[in-house]
């Protein structure tokens, strides 16, 4: 037993001194998954893995070479910059435990971001697709039907991330005061469900029952509601199922959040209010959901008349 405990203590000591693990431990669950994937990719590029990589030896020239390699592999500027942010976080962690000097850390952090712009990923759903999703839920007479309608209500009607939705408890929702959401960085915000979104959530709560605990729960094949929280992946699976049944193009959970944002920006033009509802720290992030510039560009492009009559009309003569 003592040998087992000693081995465990050595393993813990090694983990505590691994700058990458220290950095990842400071992040939210969602951020941890994303940044761990990026750091694992960097480690593979250097011929090792995340846990065995000697992150304290990371230097300016290494990070510069990594940035160039990622660009050569076709990654977007935002993806490369996220990886650079992860490496800066690792350098800070290495400095904090005395494995890197302040000068070495500063040089790593001095590697500049990649400039560039790409169109925002994902898409917004149209009204026909939204109706098809909800109709697919309504056609399901089991408890999974209203549960999935509530998922759509939270992501599309409330603009939540799927990680935020599965973290909700029944006590977080009140029709009078709104929905308390815990977002990235343990930041809380209030959002509101109105109209059909509120109706969908209330229908699910009626089916779920009023016992305290997770708001969204798994539903067994027999229709029994389990008293535990859904997972992020279960949210994804539920939406793919409803999209398939509704015969609409494949979508991601974040597309519902994009739809929430773009529709509200289009309708209100109030970027500040939408920023607060989404829980964005920087309004520049919110502006990426703004479809108005694209709509204006399309209207302007439509002002150009190209007198092409088509092959069919020419052959008819």
């Amino acid at each position: 037993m003592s040998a087992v405990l000693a081995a465990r203590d050595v393993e813990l000591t090694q983990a505590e001194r691994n700058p990458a693990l220290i950095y990842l431990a400071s992040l939210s669950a969602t951020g941890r998954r994303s940044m761990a994937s990026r750091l694992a990719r960097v480690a593979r590029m250097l011929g090792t893995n995340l846990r065995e990589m000697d992150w304290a030896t990371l230097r300016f020239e290494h990070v510069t070479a990594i940035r160039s390699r990622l660009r050569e592999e076709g990654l977007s500027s935002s993806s490369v910059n996220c990886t650079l942010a992860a490496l800066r976080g690792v350098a800070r962690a290495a400095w904090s435990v005395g494995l890197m000097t302040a000068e070495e850390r500063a040089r790593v952090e001095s590697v500049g971001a990649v400039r560039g712009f790409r169109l925002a990923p994902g898409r917004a759903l149209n009204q026909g697709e939204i109706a098809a999703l909800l109709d697919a839920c309504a056609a399901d007479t089991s408890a999974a039907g209203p549960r999935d309608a509530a998922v759509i209500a939270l992501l599309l009607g409330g603009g939540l991330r799927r990680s935020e939705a599965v973290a909700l408890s029944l006590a977080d929702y009140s029709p009078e005061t709104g929905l308390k959401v815990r977002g990235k960085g343990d930041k809380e915000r209030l959002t509101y469900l109105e109209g059909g979104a509120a109706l969908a959530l209330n229908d699910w709560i009626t089916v779920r029952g009023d016992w305290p605990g997770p708001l969204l729960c798994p539903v067994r094949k027999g229709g029994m509601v389990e008293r535990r929280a859904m997972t992020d992946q279960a949210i994804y699976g539920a939406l793919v199922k409803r999209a398939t049944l509704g015969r609409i193009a494949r979508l991601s959970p974040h597309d519902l959040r994009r739809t929430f944002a773009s529709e509200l920006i289009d309708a209100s033009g109030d970027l500040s209010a939408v920023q607060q509802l989404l829980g964005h720290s920087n309004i520049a992030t919110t502006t990426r959901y703004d479809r108005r510039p694209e709509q204006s560009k399309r209207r302007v492009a439509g002002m150009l008349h190209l007198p092409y009559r088509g092959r069919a009309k020419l052959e008819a003569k």
Side-chain angles (χ1 to χ4, degrees):
M1 178 64 72
S2 59
V4 172
L5 291 175
R8 188 189 65 181
D9 289 343
V10 169
E11 183 179 346
L12 288 174
T13 302
Q14 290 173 340
E16 290 166 359
R17 298 283 287 178
N18 185 322
L21 299 183
I22 295 171
Y23 163 67
L24 292 172
S26 70
L27 306 177
S28 66
T30 303
R32 193 176 307 129
R33 285 195 297 269
S34 174
M35 291 309 199
S37 175
R38 297 180 188 282
L39 291 176
R41 180 172 188 161
V42 168
R44 287 194 301 271
M45 289 168 54
L46 299 175
T48 182
N49 60 58
L50 190 148
R51 286 184 172 272
E52 295 181 1
M53 167 78 180
D54 188 357
W55 295 100
T57 63
L58 202 65
R59 296 293 182 266
F60 171 86
E61 56 270 23
H62 302 141
V63 179
T64 301
I66 289 166
R67 182 184 64 176
S68 298
R69 173 79 176 274
L70 292 175
R71 288 295 282 162
E72 290 169 1
E73 292 181 357
L75 268 67
S76 67
S77 56
S78 61
S79 183
V80 175
N81 289 335
C82 281
T83 302
L84 294 176
L87 293 175
R88 287 193 290 271
V90 171
R92 287 194 298 274
W95 168 79
S96 69
V97 294
L99 296 177
M100 183 179 286
T101 67
E103 181 181 355
E104 290 165 345
R105 169 191 164 182
R107 284 175 59 79
V108 167
E109 292 181 334
S110 72
V111 177
V114 173
R115 295 191 179 188
F117 177 80
R118 290 190 180 181
L119 295 175
R123 66 187 186 91
L125 281 66
N126 61 44
Q127 289 300 313
E129 290 176 316
I130 295 170
L133 275 180
L134 294 172
D135 287 348
C137 297
D140 188 342
T141 57
S142 74
R147 193 277 313 277
D148 291 352
V151 168
I152 294 169
L154 291 168
L155 271 61
L156 201 155
L160 274 66
R161 304 175 178 92
R162 57 174 164 163
S163 59
E164 295 171 342
V166 297
L168 292 170
S169 68
L170 181 66
D172 291 325
Y173 175 62
S174 167
E176 292 76 27
T177 59
L179 186 70
K180 184 170 72 173
V181 182
R182 283 171 289 279
K184 291 183 177 180
D186 200 31
K187 292 179 291 187
E188 293 185 347
R189 69 181 188 275
L190 280 176
T191 192
Y192 305 91
L193 299 181
E194 303 292 339
L199 179 61
L201 188 56
N202 289 331
D203 280 352
W204 160 241
I205 292 173
T206 300
V207 172
R208 172 196 178 278
D210 59 0
W211 50 272
L215 179 59
L216 296 176
C217 312
V219 175
R220 292 184 182 175
K221 288 185 177 179
M224 189 181 82
V225 177
E226 297 185 23
R227 296 195 174 193
R228 61 183 178 88
M230 290 181 75
T231 64
D232 287 15
Q233 191 60 30
I235 293 274
Y236 177 81
L239 291 176
V240 169
K241 176 183 177 181
R242 299 307 170 188
T244 301
L245 292 172
R247 297 182 178 181
I248 67 174
R250 194 173 182 85
L251 53 84
S252 73
H254 210 72
D255 287 337
L256 274 63
R257 180 170 160 88
R258 292 184 181 97
T259 305
F260 168 86
S262 58
E263 290 291 336
L264 285 187
I265 293 171
D266 285 349
S268 70
D270 191 340
L271 279 171
S272 177
V274 177
Q275 175 194 3
Q276 294 175 51
L277 289 170
L278 289 170
H280 286 156
S281 299
N282 191 331
I283 199 167
T285 306
T286 310
T287 59
R288 299 197 68 188
Y289 293 88
D290 191 351
R291 296 185 303 176
R292 291 173 300 170
E294 296 307 313
Q295 291 174 334
S296 298
K297 284 158 59 179
R298 187 165 191 162
R299 282 194 297 268
V300 171
M303 295 177 183
L304 176 65
H305 174 62
L306 188 68
Y308 177 64
R309 293 179 294 172
R311 289 178 57 86
K313 291 184 178 180
L314 291 173
E315 289 173 357
K317 290 184 177 183

